[in-house]
Every structure is written in structure tokens, then in C-alpha cells.
Amino acid sequence: MSENIAAAAGSRNAAGSTDGVSASVELDAEGVVTAWSTAACDLLGYEQGEAVGRQAAELLAEAVSGDARFHWGERTPFSGRFVVRCGNGHRLPVWAVVHPHGDDAEDVRWLVTFRGLGPPARTGTADEGAPEMAELKQWALDQMPLPMSLFDRRGLRVAVNAAMERVMGPEPLPLGLRMGEYEPGVRVAGTEGFDEAAQRVLRSGREETIEGYLRTPGEDRTHAWLSALYPVVDPVGRVWGVSLAAIDVTDQFRARQRLSVLNDAGARIGTTLDLERTADELAQVAAEHFADFAVVDLLDSVLQGEGTVAHSGESAFRRTAQRSVLPGCPESVVPLGSRHTFHEDSPPGLALAAGHGLKDLIDENALASWAEGSAERARSIREHHIHSLMAVPLRARGVTQGIAIFGRHRTPDPFDEEDLQLAEELATRAAVYIENARRYTRERAIALALQRSLLPHRAPRRTAAAVDMASRYLPADPDVGIGGDWFDVIPLSGARVALVVGDVVGHGIQASATMGRLCTAVRTLADMDVPPDELLTQLDDLVLRLDREATDGDSGQAEEGPAEVGATCLYAVYDPVSRRCSMARAGHPTPLLATPDGSVDSLEVPAGPPLGVGGLPFEVAEFELPEGSVLALYTDGLVEGTDRGADDLRAALRDVCRQQSLDAFCDRLVHRLLPGHRTDDAALLLARTQALDAAEVATWELPDDPAAVAHSRELVRDKLAAWGLEHAAFTTELVVSELVTNAIRYGRPPVVLRLIHESELICEVTDASSAAPHLRRARLFDEGGRGLFIVAQLAQRWGTRHTRTGKTIWAELPLPASTADGADQ
């Protein structure tokens, strides 16, 4: 057997070193050396006679591990690192592989093959006092700045280096503990999954990586660690333990965390142009990522949408948003929506004055400064154990909108400079959105005010004798609230009323501005009593001019291509005396008429071109409307939501004449036609026609004779007496006398006088001349020129309208409240 062992043993390497030389020995069942190879002599410095017969344990410088004793008792192969005492007294670490052999189970022998891990024992070339290889390797391990630990197959710590000792605390790190424990049964928070990972490494033999954010006993703050768990294997590939190496990746982790917060903030802050929601989004992002509570206070002037925002020490703030890890945000001492101020010497006041963020570790001095002007704030800081606070102004474009305050009480780490920098970046981003929202709120309020001033909320009083009106306006974007559709009800002379519905191409403020110009133009032309076809022609010229202005506008718009201005319009004039309605349309949807008998018909009004085409004529259609009929004028946005929009509108109008309230019917109609999302502005105008009682209208044809003036006064006096208006006789006779005199002197026959008793007294004189009179200043000795001046002084309104056969001069005289339906609006 000895010869076989010697033959199997390797020889010394060419350089004479025993490091890496393989040697063999044989042991009996009791651990007594029975054979000793020549390589063993050279490696350990013992001759065969000195080694054979001795207990192998006598040759060891350190006791064997329990694991080796277990395999010896179980008679199973094992391997491991041993330290042997050489013949010259030196200690030599070796790696040994132990195999049982023999045919008799009761007489087992062991073949031990080992190689040196240190310098040779008998070379005699090593310097006196030089460290052995084992010591050198241990020194290298201890001086490695990377924290490392070694765990056996049971998952117990068997070795650590100095870097790991420093990380885990000032006290020596006990061995024999599980991964993540720094005292028996006491684990570092965040290492709960390490044991399971170590077991997976032991079973699979594959490396695993774990990233954790934890605070070890030896660290003053939480750090991020990237830990690598890799198996420790013998030369034959068996896993005998797990080694852990950890790298501090706090800087990289915080950089990724900060980038993640900024990305999240970019997606969640500023989703709307609502000031309060933007403030709440800032507070919510902060409370979820780096603060235990956050509050946002905006200046009162910002929330009110004022044009100029100026912060001073006395500025009032309003608590706009607050978020906390605790339900109900109990840390806040200011109720949501309440107004308050900051003392100029408090940290928020100092931050506002400085224009940048400030952070504080809360001690007694800091507590006193935060309590400036608010003892409740100090009480809340103590009660909730708030240990760190930041105050960051919200500023954008050189304007201060408010301030954000962040605090920590659950998170153990105080705010640091990186936290302050992150908070300032979030505050700056939110401030830009808040400034945009402030400007939008202000501009939207202006646009809405202008639009409300243009769109009638109810029919003017002077139109009550002609129509009962209800209307609805629904912009495509309810949040914006403005658009290009419009409607109007305009009182005309002779108790008539003009009904207008229009639609400007596009949406938003630009369309609303164009709508405002067209609406004003229509009112001006209607006041001149221009016929419907001529009014649309004038409006067409205006749209062409607006289109040229938009095309030749500023260079910024020209880069996007020329703007297009277009519109459609329907203009109708209803006379309650004759019950006739004349209308013309410019590319607008056909109006519908619901009559008291339950029928609903489209009025065949010739379809003119849309406004802005130019060069094409418009035609007028005239209809006689039964009293109590309902005329429906609308824009295409009302019927384009469904495939059968016009049919649905027609069906819905079948019972409109039986409804007492047009206003309530309007709501039901809009809900039926537009139940969901709209893509276009929509306007609806319902007008129920009225008819004047024939007894309230008096008409006389007068001869072309100056004597007819006196007769006209008599006719007027008698009619006023019949109406019970004797008290108005003098003024009315004077106005009629001047109008009739003017018609006989400057006009052509026939001359027709008409009185209409409505909420006011209307006097009209019609003749066949198209020449319109005008007001002029009469000189001292002039015999004429004072008639219209007198009419203008006595009447509340007067004017001239042209007819197909001439002109009509009219004047409206006020009546006392006891005889009129009510005061004129």
C-alpha cells in the first residue's frame, strides 16, 4: 500500500516550492498514520519513520471542524482546509481531500490527498519573520475595503473581515449567527430575505444578488447595499458554504430614486389647469416619496386669479393642499381652505424672503423659530415628534405663488441637501404649472365675462310681447367653457324681434373672439333694421376681412400656415302684429317649427353659402307662424352627435308646444341629444311665438294734406282714451304731429300712422319716400329742423327703417308702471 501511495504522489515542482504540490498519506480507522509518501516528507518535513505510527491529530496545528468530525464518523468522503505543524515548527495550511477505502466495512482505511497552501516547509529560502501564506491571505481579507462574510452550510457566520466589522457596529461581530443578525435573535431591518437567498445558493450553487435599503448598527443613516451571495466550492465542485460581499451603492440608489421621483412628478403634477389640484398633486408626490407630510399654501391673490401677484410680509396665504402618511393629516394646524400668514422671522417667512428653500433639524432653537406667530405649530411638532422640516417657496418666472412645507417624523433620517434639492426641483416644476393655471384662470374668467356679456341669459323685456325664449349653450370643452357658437334675441322697432344663431369655425378663445365680433356686428346691423339678406351680406364681408387679417397677422401664426375664419349664421325677424317671420341663412342648419297641432316641420329657407365665401347672394324666405308655435334654431353641434341627430331633434319637439316651461324642456332636450362626450360646440334657441291683440294696434292712412296733422292728433287722442292712456295724450300728440308733418312735407304718399300699445307706446309713420331724415341743429330764425329734435327729447328710442315701398319713422314712448307690463330692460 505504501508503494502505491508513493507512486501516486506528485513530486516537487521545478522551482523547489511546495505550494501546490500534492502529497498522500494513509490512515487507519483510528486516525493513525500507516503510510507516508515521499512528497509528504518533502512538503511537511517529516521522514517516514517520524510520521508512520503517529496519530494524525498530533500533526495538526488547529483542531478540525465539527463538519470534518461528522464525515469521519459517518465514514463519508469530505474535504477542507487544515493547518498542519511542519517538522521545523512552522504552520502550513493545506487543502485535503479524504476518501474512505477498503473491502472490510469494519476495517476502513482513509486515503488523504493534500496540497500546500503556503510556502514550503523545508526550502530554507524564506526570510526570517516573513508571514506565512495563510497570514498574508487573512491580512488581505481584513484590509479589503469591501465588507465580506463567510457562512457555512448551516447558514451560520464563520468569518468576517474588518470592513464588515466596521459596518455592523463598534462591537465585535459575533460568529455563529445567521445572515443579517448582529446579535442573537436581533436582525438588521431589511435583511429578512437573506437567509432564504443563502439557502438557494447552497442548493443551486449559483450566485445571487440582493439590493437592500437598510441601516446597520454601525451606520449613522440608511444606506443602499448591493450584496453578492456566491457559493464556496471544493475542487470537485461541492458547495461547502456561502460568501457575502457587499457594496455601498447609496449614491447610485439615491440618484435613481431622485430620477424616479422626478419622472413620477412629471407624469402626475400639472395634469390640469386647476390651481388646487396642481397643489394637491405636489403634496401627494412628496408624501409618497420623501416626506411624511406635506402642505402647500398659495397666495390668496394667486387663487383669485389677479393679474399682478406681489408677495410681502403681510401677504395672506390659503391652505390649498395637505397630505400625510397619517390619516387626516393631523400634523397640519391650519384647516384646508383657511387663510393665514407667516411671521417674517419664521423659517417659511425667511424662505419666502430669500427666494429659496431652507431645512431645519428640530431642536429647541429651531422649534422656537418655527413657532414664530403660531404656538399651535410648535405643539404639533412636539406631539408628532417631527424631527426635520423644509420650507420651499413656489416661484416661477420671478413670481412667488406660495410655499410648500415638508416634514419627517416616521422616516428616521433627517432631510439632507439632496432632499432639499429634490424638493426645490419639484416646487419649481409645480410653480410653473401653477403660474400657467393662474394665467389661464384669469384669461378664462375674462373670456367668460366677455362671452356672458354677449350671450343673452333671458329675452329682453321688450321682446316679451313677441316671443317666449329659452336657450342653452354647451361648449365642446366644459372645462374651458368658451367656444364659437352664439345666439341672440334682439328687440326691433314695431314690437318685432330678431332671432340669431351662429357658429364660428373652431373652438376656444380664438373662436370666441371671432364670435364676439360677429355678434356685435349683428346687433349693430339689426339696430339699423337691415333686412335679413342684406345683414348676412354685410356679415359675409366682415368675415372676409377677418380672414385677411388672420392671414396677414403676426409672423408666429404665419409659420403654422394662414388661419381660416369661417362661420355659419341664421337671422330671422318675427313681427307679432302680422305673425309673419322672414329669415335667411348662410350655410346654417335648417330651422324647425313645431305648431300647436303637434306637427314639426323644417322651414324651407334657401341655403346660402357659409360666411366668408364672398360674392354669392343670400335669399329671404317669409312664413306666417301660428300663435303659440315654437321655432327651434340650433347649431350643427346639437345634432352631429348621433347618426339621426336631426330626426331625434324633430321627434323631441313634437310635444314642445304643450310644455308650460320652455326652460325645463330645453334641459330635457339637450340631455336627450347630447348624453355624453361632445366634440363640437352646441347652441339651442327655442322661441314660442306670441301675437299682439288686434285691439292693441291702431292703423290709419292719412291724406297728403297739411290739414291731416290736426286730424291725426284727434285720432291719437281718441285711441289713447280708449286704451285708458289719457295722461300720455299730450306727449304722444306732439310726437305724432311732428312725425306726420315730416312725412307730408318731405315724403311721398301714402302716409300711414300706426299706434301699438305694448309695454311702451309705439308711434310709427310710414311714407313712400326712401330718403331717411336725420337730426340737425336748427338756427335761430329757421322755420323748420326742430321736429326730430323734439321727438328725440320726448321718446326713449326712435329711428328709421326702410321697407320695400319706402320708409318708417318710429318712436317709443315710455308708459307709467301702472299701465305698462313692467320697466324696460
Side-chain angles (χ1 to χ4, degrees):
M1 177 64 69
S2 300
E3 292 78 3
N4 293 336
I5 294 175
S11 60
R12 183 187 302 256
N13 59 25
S17 171
T18 60
D19 189 13
V21 174
S22 294
S24 300
V25 298
E26 184 183 65
L27 308 177
D28 63 12
E30 301 301 326
V32 176
V33 177
T34 57
W36 191 265
S37 67
T38 303
C41 294
D42 295 336
L43 185 62
L44 300 181
Y46 293 102
E47 297 298 335
Q48 289 186 357
E50 296 176 299
V52 173
R54 296 178 63 178
Q55 284 283 340
E58 297 177 5
L59 304 177
L60 296 178
E62 294 181 1
V64 299
S65 67
D67 189 64
R69 290 194 297 273
F70 169 80
H71 286 283
W72 182 277
E74 292 294 320
R75 298 180 179 179
T76 58
F78 64 96
S79 62
R81 179 179 177 277
F82 300 87
V83 179
V84 181
R85 182 177 291 106
C86 298
N88 60 4
H90 289 173
R91 295 157 56 92
L92 177 68
V94 299
W95 185 267
V97 180
V98 185
H99 290 275
H101 73 93
D103 297 332
D104 189 352
E106 297 298 328
D107 186 21
V108 175
R109 292 179 176 272
W110 300 87
L111 176 63
V112 181
T113 304
F114 57 93
R115 57 186 176 83
L117 300 178
R122 298 176 62 189
T123 59
T125 59
D127 295 337
E128 288 296 328
E132 296 186 3
M133 185 59 66
E135 294 176 316
L136 187 62
K137 291 181 179 180
Q138 186 63 41
W139 291 347
L141 183 66
D142 286 341
Q143 295 172 27
M144 184 177 294
L146 196 67
M148 300 185 69
S149 298
L150 179 64
F151 299 84
D152 61 17
R153 290 198 298 181
R154 294 169 298 173
L156 302 180
R157 186 184 299 116
V158 295
V160 295
N161 68 349
M164 181 63 76
E165 293 271 9
R166 288 192 297 271
V167 167
M168 293 302 292
E171 300 297 328
L173 188 62
L175 301 181
L177 301 182
R178 294 198 172 276
M179 195 174 294
E181 290 184 337
Y182 62 93
E183 290 181 6
V186 182
R187 179 180 294 277
V188 176
T191 62
E192 287 74 12
F194 276 58
D195 281 341
E196 292 77 2
Q199 292 302 319
R200 290 194 297 271
V201 172
L202 288 169
R203 290 193 300 267
S204 66
R206 291 191 296 269
E207 180 180 340
E208 284 200 18
T209 301
I210 302 176
E211 187 171 6
Y213 200 59
L214 45 95
R215 183 174 184 172
T216 60
E219 296 175 327
D220 58 355
R221 54 170 297 173
T222 304
H223 283 237
W225 291 96
L226 181 65
S227 302
L229 305 180
Y230 55 91
V232 178
V233 298
D234 62 15
V236 297
R238 288 177 298 180
V239 179
W240 292 98
V242 177
S243 181
L244 180 148
I247 303 175
D248 189 341
V249 292
T250 304
D251 292 340
Q252 298 91 322
F253 178 83
R254 289 176 67 85
R256 292 199 312 270
Q257 187 183 46
R258 178 177 171 183
L259 181 60
S260 175
V261 173
L262 292 176
N263 288 338
D264 189 35
R268 295 171 56 186
I269 298 178
T271 58
T272 66
L273 288 172
D274 181 87
L275 287 166
E276 295 181 359
R277 182 167 178 178
T278 302
D280 184 64
E281 289 166 347
L282 169 61
Q284 187 174 14
V285 169
E288 289 181 4
H289 288 290
F290 67 93
D292 293 330
F293 82 95
V295 298
V296 179
D297 295 333
L298 296 182
L299 284 167
D300 228 7
S301 55
V302 172
L303 291 170
Q304 293 172 5
E306 295 181 5
T308 302
V309 178
H311 165 67
S312 65
E314 301 299 323
S315 296
F317 291 82
R318 191 178 297 274
R319 179 57 48 84
T320 311
Q322 55 189 30
R323 292 279 181 163
S324 171
V325 296
L326 302 177
C329 198
E331 306 95 329
S332 174
V333 298
V334 178
L336 198 63
S338 298
R339 296 174 73 253
H340 65 104
T341 60
F342 289 109
H343 193 276
E344 60 182 8
D345 293 331
S346 67
L350 295 174
L352 288 166
H356 59 77
L358 300 175
K359 62 180 178 66
D360 274 317
L361 287 174
I362 302 302
D363 53 19
E364 286 303 319
N365 292 332
L367 186 63
S369 65
W370 277 91
E372 286 287 349
S374 175
E376 286 295 308
R377 188 177 293 119
R379 179 196 57 76
S380 177
I381 291 174
R382 283 195 176 96
E383 181 178 332
H384 294 95
H385 306 290
I386 298 172
H387 60 80
S388 185
L389 283 164
M390 292 190 298
V392 182
L394 303 177
R395 290 178 55 83
R397 304 184 181 101
V399 176
T400 298
Q401 287 104 17
I403 190 167
I405 299 175
F406 310 101
R408 281 181 177 174
H409 49 75
R410 291 292 182 87
T411 303
D413 295 332
F415 290 120
D416 58 19
E417 289 299 326
E418 290 186 3
D419 293 320
L420 180 60
Q421 185 178 1
L422 175 61
E424 288 183 324
E425 289 188 23
L426 292 180
T428 300
R429 179 172 301 193
V432 171
Y433 290 120
I434 290 173
E435 175 66 8
N436 291 341
R438 182 189 70 83
R439 294 188 177 191
Y440 166 79
T441 300
R442 179 171 175 268
E443 293 171 1
R444 178 176 178 269
I446 295 173
L448 285 175
L450 291 174
Q451 184 158 5
R452 291 192 189 103
S453 68
L454 294 172
L455 297 180
H457 298 285
R458 60 177 181 271
R461 181 68 179 172
R462 283 182 285 122
T463 66
V467 293
D468 177 21
M469 183 204 85
S471 60
R472 291 294 180 272
Y473 172 69
L474 299 100
D477 187 350
D479 295 330
V480 175
I482 55 177
D485 290 11
W486 92 94
F487 58 88
D488 209 347
V489 180
I490 307 170
L492 302 178
S493 63
R496 297 169 305 138
V497 62
L499 305 174
V500 191
V501 174
D503 183 359
V504 175
V505 173
H507 313 292
I509 293 179
Q510 185 60 45
S512 181
T514 303
M515 177 273 291
R517 299 181 71 172
L518 296 181
C519 186
T520 302
V522 169
R523 289 185 179 181
T524 302
L525 294 171
D527 192 54
M528 297 168 60
D529 256 316
V530 176
D533 54 343
E534 185 178 341
L535 183 141
L536 292 182
T537 300
Q538 297 286 346
L539 216 57
D540 186 46
D541 292 340
L542 174 60
V543 172
L544 286 172
R545 186 165 65 252
L546 294 178
D547 189 43
R548 286 193 297 269
E549 291 175 359
T551 303
D552 300 334
D554 60 273
S555 58
Q557 187 174 5
E559 293 177 0
E560 301 175 359
E564 293 185 3
V565 178
T568 65
C569 183
L570 186 145
Y571 183 79
V573 176
Y574 174 67
D575 187 348
V577 177
S578 64
R579 291 186 290 104
R580 298 196 65 80
C581 182
S582 59
M583 59 182 68
R585 63 189 179 108
H588 205 78
T590 304
L592 297 178
L593 179 68
T595 53
D597 61 5
S599 63
V600 179
D601 299 308
S602 297
L603 296 180
E604 297 302 325
V605 182
L611 300 176
V613 174
L616 297 177
F618 301 96
E619 299 182 42
V620 177
E622 194 168 286
F623 308 91
E624 185 172 337
L625 308 182
E627 183 179 2
S629 300
V630 175
L631 190 62
L633 310 181
Y634 55 93
T635 59
D636 55 9
L638 187 71
V639 296
E640 285 185 348
T642 61
D643 295 335
R644 302 178 63 255
D647 294 336
D648 290 343
L649 176 59
R650 187 178 289 105
L653 288 171
R654 295 195 191 283
D655 62 346
V656 65
C657 292
R658 295 192 294 271
Q659 302 296 318
Q660 294 298 319
S661 172
L662 279 184
D663 201 62
F665 183 82
C666 243
D667 287 332
R668 294 197 301 271
L669 186 62
V670 168
H671 180 73
R672 175 174 175 178
L673 296 176
L674 300 174
H677 179 70
R678 296 183 300 278
T679 59
D680 194 7
D681 304 327
L684 171 66
L685 175 62
L686 297 181
R688 179 184 284 127
T689 61
Q690 312 285 346
L692 283 180
D693 190 344
E696 303 298 320
V697 181
T699 305
W700 303 279
E701 185 172 342
L702 303 176
D704 186 19
D705 185 352
V709 176
H711 181 58
S712 66
R713 288 197 293 267
E714 294 176 1
L715 295 174
V716 168
R717 188 184 310 115
D718 294 341
K719 180 53 67 175
L720 292 180
W723 286 342
L725 301 177
E726 294 89 346
H727 55 278
F730 176 78
T731 302
T732 307
E733 288 180 39
L734 184 55
V735 169
V736 168
S737 176
E738 296 297 336
L739 295 181
V740 172
T741 299
N742 193 73
I744 291 175
R745 179 177 296 179
Y746 301 108
R748 296 201 306 263
V751 177
V752 179
L753 171 63
R754 185 169 74 163
L755 291 184
I756 301 174
H757 178 207
E758 208 265 318
S759 58
E760 55 273 320
L761 190 61
I762 302 172
C763 306
E764 296 182 343
V765 176
T766 303
D767 68 83
S769 172
S770 60
H774 62 276
L775 192 66
R776 66 184 179 87
R777 181 182 298 276
R779 290 186 292 272
L780 182 62
F781 298 104
D782 287 348
E783 295 182 1
R786 296 180 178 86
L788 290 181
F789 180 77
I790 293 173
V791 171
Q793 296 301 310
L794 297 176
Q796 63 181 13
R797 290 203 317 154
W798 76 279
T800 304
R801 68 174 181 269
H802 291 275
T803 65
R804 290 189 179 92
T805 58
K807 68 176 181 299
T808 297
I809 304 176
W810 55 270
E812 295 179 358
L813 304 176
L815 293 176
S818 59
T819 59
D821 293 334
D824 178 64
Q825 293 185 358

